[in-house]
Amino acid sequence: MHPYVELAKKTVEEYVRKGKMPAIPENIPPEMKRKAGVFVSIKKKGQLRGCIGTFLPATENIYTEIVRNAIAAATEDPRFPPVQPQELEDLEYSVDILSPPEPVNSLDELDPKKYGVIVVKGWQKGLLLPDIDGVNTVDEQLRIAKLKAGIDPYDSDVEIYKFKVERYR
């Protein structure tokens, strides 16, 4: 198991069992000291169970970003009830480290297998990670991201950004 995924798993297990966030150690591994947006996804028997993240860094390093987003994915995703202790052994985790978002000038720049998207209209923002099962076209990817943001899926007056991820399972 990759260290990022192991951190997410241990964090969720400790938080769900003990109700507290694990302490952030003084000596964070060097690869976790950089800043980046991070998404933590949790699946149960192949089905999404929680997914929360940040598209820009919100904390001082990837380590803290993983810890916070792992807890949020397990307990704060509004689509699901909080993870219960009896579920822990059935959960699978993935951690996505995001590149900085880049503005999109043409839809030809997008590829739903390679890039995630962020759509923005005023204060509304929606994000969809890349390489999601069942999302095979740019139109579908943008439609879902707009729906997540509460934007009319047929509204073409939106800002679009793309990003890549390093995905760890």
Side-chain angles (χ1 to χ4, degrees):
M1 186 180 298
H2 190 277
Y4 294 162
V5 178
E6 187 174 358
L7 175 59
K9 180 181 190 311
K10 286 182 176 180
T11 297
V12 168
E13 289 176 352
E14 185 166 338
Y15 190 84
V16 169
R17 287 189 176 118
K18 299 178 182 175
K20 63 179 188 171
M21 187 168 105
I24 305 296
E26 298 253 341
N27 295 323
I28 292 171
E31 69 274 11
M32 293 191 193
K33 287 185 177 179
R34 67 184 170 112
K35 286 183 162 198
V38 171
F39 268 75
V40 176
S41 300
I42 303 171
K43 288 187 174 182
K44 180 178 176 181
K45 299 180 181 175
Q47 299 297 309
L48 186 65
R49 182 62 180 84
C51 180
I52 297 283
T54 48
F55 65 91
L56 294 172
T59 67
E60 59 277 5
N61 55 51
I62 285 175
Y63 189 101
T64 307
E65 208 83 27
I66 291 171
V67 168
R68 288 190 178 175
N69 292 337
I71 291 169
T75 64
E76 298 173 17
D77 188 325
R79 299 169 291 182
F80 305 98
V83 168
Q84 299 300 306
Q86 63 271 20
E87 295 179 87
L88 291 172
E89 66 184 40
D90 295 327
L91 301 181
E92 300 165 17
Y93 301 83
S94 66
V95 175
D96 290 337
I97 309 298
L98 281 63
S99 70
E102 302 172 22
V104 171
N105 299 309
S106 165
L107 296 185
D108 294 339
E109 298 174 36
L110 298 176
D111 176 344
K113 297 296 179 198
K114 182 176 180 181
Y115 296 107
V117 294
I118 301 166
V119 295
V120 180
K121 183 169 182 131
W123 57 269
Q124 297 168 293
K125 290 183 183 154
L127 179 146
L128 195 65
L129 295 169
D131 200 20
I132 302 287
D133 289 339
V135 180
N136 299 309
T137 67
V138 170
D139 287 343
E140 182 70 3
Q141 186 183 41
L142 291 173
R143 185 183 74 76
I144 294 168
K146 288 175 189 176
L147 287 170
K148 288 177 78 172
I151 299 170
D152 180 332
Y154 301 104
D155 189 341
S156 59
D157 185 29
V158 295
E159 295 174 56
I160 302 171
Y161 298 86
K162 67 180 180 178
F163 60 90
K164 289 183 178 180
V165 299
E166 300 165 30
R167 182 163 289 156
Y168 301 92
R169 298 178 195 260

PDB file of all heavy atoms in Angstrom, residues 60-76:
ATOM      1  N   GLU A  60      -0.530  23.266   5.237  1.00  0.00           N
ATOM      2  CA  GLU A  60       0.896  23.506   5.014  1.00  0.00           C
ATOM      3  C   GLU A  60       1.613  22.411   4.230  1.00  0.00           C
ATOM      4  O   GLU A  60       2.715  22.618   3.744  1.00  0.00           O
ATOM      5  CB  GLU A  60       1.616  23.752   6.354  1.00  0.00           C
ATOM      6  CG  GLU A  60       1.511  22.624   7.360  1.00  0.00           C
ATOM      7  CD  GLU A  60       0.216  22.637   8.195  1.00  0.00           C
ATOM      8  OE1 GLU A  60      -0.676  23.464   7.958  1.00  0.00           O
ATOM      9  OE2 GLU A  60       0.110  21.776   9.074  1.00  0.00           O
ATOM     10  N   ASN A  61       0.984  21.209   4.088  1.00  0.00           N
ATOM     11  CA  ASN A  61       1.659  20.136   3.352  1.00  0.00           C
ATOM     12  C   ASN A  61       0.677  19.024   2.974  1.00  0.00           C
ATOM     13  O   ASN A  61      -0.451  18.993   3.463  1.00  0.00           O
ATOM     14  CB  ASN A  61       2.835  19.572   4.163  1.00  0.00           C
ATOM     15  CG  ASN A  61       2.401  19.121   5.541  1.00  0.00           C
ATOM     16  OD1 ASN A  61       1.450  18.365   5.695  1.00  0.00           O
ATOM     17  ND2 ASN A  61       3.092  19.588   6.572  1.00  0.00           N
ATOM     18  N   ILE A  62       1.138  18.131   2.112  1.00  0.00           N
ATOM     19  CA  ILE A  62       0.309  17.014   1.644  1.00  0.00           C
ATOM     20  C   ILE A  62      -0.109  16.116   2.805  1.00  0.00           C
ATOM     21  O   ILE A  62      -1.230  15.615   2.836  1.00  0.00           O
ATOM     22  CB  ILE A  62       1.064  16.204   0.556  1.00  0.00           C
ATOM     23  CG1 ILE A  62       1.072  16.983  -0.752  1.00  0.00           C
ATOM     24  CG2 ILE A  62       0.446  14.834   0.351  1.00  0.00           C
ATOM     25  CD1 ILE A  62       1.884  16.331  -1.853  1.00  0.00           C
ATOM     26  N   TYR A  63       0.778  15.908   3.768  1.00  0.00           N
ATOM     27  CA  TYR A  63       0.457  15.045   4.904  1.00  0.00           C
ATOM     28  C   TYR A  63      -0.819  15.529   5.604  1.00  0.00           C
ATOM     29  O   TYR A  63      -1.777  14.762   5.773  1.00  0.00           O
ATOM     30  CB  TYR A  63       1.629  15.023   5.898  1.00  0.00           C
ATOM     31  CG  TYR A  63       1.473  13.996   6.995  1.00  0.00           C
ATOM     32  CD1 TYR A  63       2.154  12.791   6.914  1.00  0.00           C
ATOM     33  CD2 TYR A  63       0.664  14.220   8.104  1.00  0.00           C
ATOM     34  CE1 TYR A  63       2.026  11.837   7.917  1.00  0.00           C
ATOM     35  CE2 TYR A  63       0.526  13.279   9.100  1.00  0.00           C
ATOM     36  CZ  TYR A  63       1.214  12.085   8.998  1.00  0.00           C
ATOM     37  OH  TYR A  63       1.066  11.140   9.983  1.00  0.00           O
ATOM     38  N   THR A  64      -0.832  16.788   5.982  1.00  0.00           N
ATOM     39  CA  THR A  64      -1.989  17.343   6.694  1.00  0.00           C
ATOM     40  C   THR A  64      -3.217  17.374   5.790  1.00  0.00           C
ATOM     41  O   THR A  64      -4.338  17.136   6.239  1.00  0.00           O
ATOM     42  CB  THR A  64      -1.658  18.755   7.210  1.00  0.00           C
ATOM     43  OG1 THR A  64      -0.448  18.691   7.961  1.00  0.00           O
ATOM     44  CG2 THR A  64      -2.765  19.290   8.096  1.00  0.00           C
ATOM     45  N   GLU A  65      -3.002  17.631   4.506  1.00  0.00           N
ATOM     46  CA  GLU A  65      -4.098  17.670   3.532  1.00  0.00           C
ATOM     47  C   GLU A  65      -4.769  16.284   3.458  1.00  0.00           C
ATOM     48  O   GLU A  65      -5.995  16.174   3.444  1.00  0.00           O
ATOM     49  CB  GLU A  65      -3.520  18.067   2.169  1.00  0.00           C
ATOM     50  CG  GLU A  65      -4.450  18.765   1.251  1.00  0.00           C
ATOM     51  CD  GLU A  65      -4.568  20.266   1.486  1.00  0.00           C
ATOM     52  OE1 GLU A  65      -3.656  20.929   1.980  1.00  0.00           O
ATOM     53  OE2 GLU A  65      -5.650  20.777   1.138  1.00  0.00           O
ATOM     54  N   ILE A  66      -3.960  15.224   3.424  1.00  0.00           N
ATOM     55  CA  ILE A  66      -4.508  13.856   3.382  1.00  0.00           C
ATOM     56  C   ILE A  66      -5.286  13.566   4.653  1.00  0.00           C
ATOM     57  O   ILE A  66      -6.407  13.044   4.604  1.00  0.00           O
ATOM     58  CB  ILE A  66      -3.389  12.810   3.163  1.00  0.00           C
ATOM     59  CG1 ILE A  66      -2.807  12.935   1.754  1.00  0.00           C
ATOM     60  CG2 ILE A  66      -3.919  11.387   3.399  1.00  0.00           C
ATOM     61  CD1 ILE A  66      -1.557  12.091   1.509  1.00  0.00           C
ATOM     62  N   VAL A  67      -4.719  13.898   5.810  1.00  0.00           N
ATOM     63  CA  VAL A  67      -5.392  13.633   7.093  1.00  0.00           C
ATOM     64  C   VAL A  67      -6.752  14.326   7.137  1.00  0.00           C
ATOM     65  O   VAL A  67      -7.778  13.695   7.417  1.00  0.00           O
ATOM     66  CB  VAL A  67      -4.496  14.063   8.279  1.00  0.00           C
ATOM     67  CG1 VAL A  67      -5.279  14.080   9.584  1.00  0.00           C
ATOM     68  CG2 VAL A  67      -3.288  13.141   8.387  1.00  0.00           C
ATOM     69  N   ARG A  68      -6.784  15.601   6.842  1.00  0.00           N
ATOM     70  CA  ARG A  68      -8.046  16.351   6.920  1.00  0.00           C
ATOM     71  C   ARG A  68      -9.075  15.845   5.906  1.00  0.00           C
ATOM     72  O   ARG A  68     -10.253  15.706   6.217  1.00  0.00           O
ATOM     73  CB  ARG A  68      -7.791  17.835   6.700  1.00  0.00           C
ATOM     74  CG  ARG A  68      -7.105  18.472   7.880  1.00  0.00           C
ATOM     75  CD  ARG A  68      -7.089  19.968   7.739  1.00  0.00           C
ATOM     76  NE  ARG A  68      -6.464  20.578   8.906  1.00  0.00           N
ATOM     77  CZ  ARG A  68      -6.227  21.860   8.994  1.00  0.00           C
ATOM     78  NH1 ARG A  68      -6.562  22.664   8.022  1.00  0.00           N
ATOM     79  NH2 ARG A  68      -5.662  22.342  10.069  1.00  0.00           N
ATOM     80  N   ASN A  69      -8.627  15.582   4.685  1.00  0.00           N
ATOM     81  CA  ASN A  69      -9.574  15.160   3.657  1.00  0.00           C
ATOM     82  C   ASN A  69     -10.026  13.715   3.845  1.00  0.00           C
ATOM     83  O   ASN A  69     -11.143  13.370   3.473  1.00  0.00           O
ATOM     84  CB  ASN A  69      -8.991  15.407   2.266  1.00  0.00           C
ATOM     85  CG  ASN A  69      -8.869  16.884   1.968  1.00  0.00           C
ATOM     86  OD1 ASN A  69      -9.555  17.716   2.555  1.00  0.00           O
ATOM     87  ND2 ASN A  69      -7.981  17.236   1.064  1.00  0.00           N
ATOM     88  N   ALA A  70      -9.194  12.884   4.434  1.00  0.00           N
ATOM     89  CA  ALA A  70      -9.608  11.510   4.735  1.00  0.00           C
ATOM     90  C   ALA A  70     -10.738  11.527   5.772  1.00  0.00           C
ATOM     91  O   ALA A  70     -11.750  10.827   5.610  1.00  0.00           O
ATOM     92  CB  ALA A  70      -8.419  10.688   5.241  1.00  0.00           C
ATOM     93  N   ILE A  71     -10.586  12.321   6.813  1.00  0.00           N
ATOM     94  CA  ILE A  71     -11.638  12.429   7.842  1.00  0.00           C
ATOM     95  C   ILE A  71     -12.912  12.992   7.210  1.00  0.00           C
ATOM     96  O   ILE A  71     -14.013  12.483   7.439  1.00  0.00           O
ATOM     97  CB  ILE A  71     -11.161  13.289   9.028  1.00  0.00           C
ATOM     98  CG1 ILE A  71     -10.065  12.544   9.799  1.00  0.00           C
ATOM     99  CG2 ILE A  71     -12.332  13.643   9.949  1.00  0.00           C
ATOM    100  CD1 ILE A  71      -9.332  13.398  10.827  1.00  0.00           C
ATOM    101  N   ALA A  72     -12.769  14.021   6.399  1.00  0.00           N
ATOM    102  CA  ALA A  72     -13.942  14.630   5.761  1.00  0.00           C
ATOM    103  C   ALA A  72     -14.635  13.640   4.813  1.00  0.00           C
ATOM    104  O   ALA A  72     -15.861  13.571   4.781  1.00  0.00           O
ATOM    105  CB  ALA A  72     -13.536  15.893   5.014  1.00  0.00           C
ATOM    106  N   ALA A  73     -13.857  12.871   4.058  1.00  0.00           N
ATOM    107  CA  ALA A  73     -14.453  11.887   3.139  1.00  0.00           C
ATOM    108  C   ALA A  73     -15.241  10.834   3.909  1.00  0.00           C
ATOM    109  O   ALA A  73     -16.284  10.371   3.451  1.00  0.00           O
ATOM    110  CB  ALA A  73     -13.374  11.233   2.276  1.00  0.00           C
ATOM    111  N   ALA A  74     -14.755  10.478   5.080  1.00  0.00           N
ATOM    112  CA  ALA A  74     -15.416   9.446   5.885  1.00  0.00           C
ATOM    113  C   ALA A  74     -16.612   9.969   6.674  1.00  0.00           C
ATOM    114  O   ALA A  74     -17.521   9.200   6.994  1.00  0.00           O
ATOM    115  CB  ALA A  74     -14.412   8.821   6.850  1.00  0.00           C
ATOM    116  N   THR A  75     -16.620  11.268   6.979  1.00  0.00           N
ATOM    117  CA  THR A  75     -17.631  11.758   7.916  1.00  0.00           C
ATOM    118  C   THR A  75     -18.448  12.957   7.436  1.00  0.00           C
ATOM    119  O   THR A  75     -19.473  13.266   8.034  1.00  0.00           O
ATOM    120  CB  THR A  75     -16.969  12.163   9.254  1.00  0.00           C
ATOM    121  OG1 THR A  75     -16.075  13.255   9.028  1.00  0.00           O
ATOM    122  CG2 THR A  75     -16.218  10.987   9.873  1.00  0.00           C
ATOM    123  N   GLU A  76     -18.002  13.655   6.380  1.00  0.00           N
ATOM    124  CA  GLU A  76     -18.660  14.906   6.003  1.00  0.00           C
ATOM    125  C   GLU A  76     -19.184  14.946   4.576  1.00  0.00           C
ATOM    126  O   GLU A  76     -19.728  15.969   4.164  1.00  0.00           O
ATOM    127  CB  GLU A  76     -17.694  16.078   6.205  1.00  0.00           C
ATOM    128  CG  GLU A  76     -17.255  16.258   7.647  1.00  0.00           C
ATOM    129  CD  GLU A  76     -16.165  17.316   7.791  1.00  0.00           C
ATOM    130  OE1 GLU A  76     -15.980  18.126   6.862  1.00  0.00           O
ATOM    131  OE2 GLU A  76     -15.497  17.306   8.838  1.00  0.00           O
TER     132      GLU A  76
END
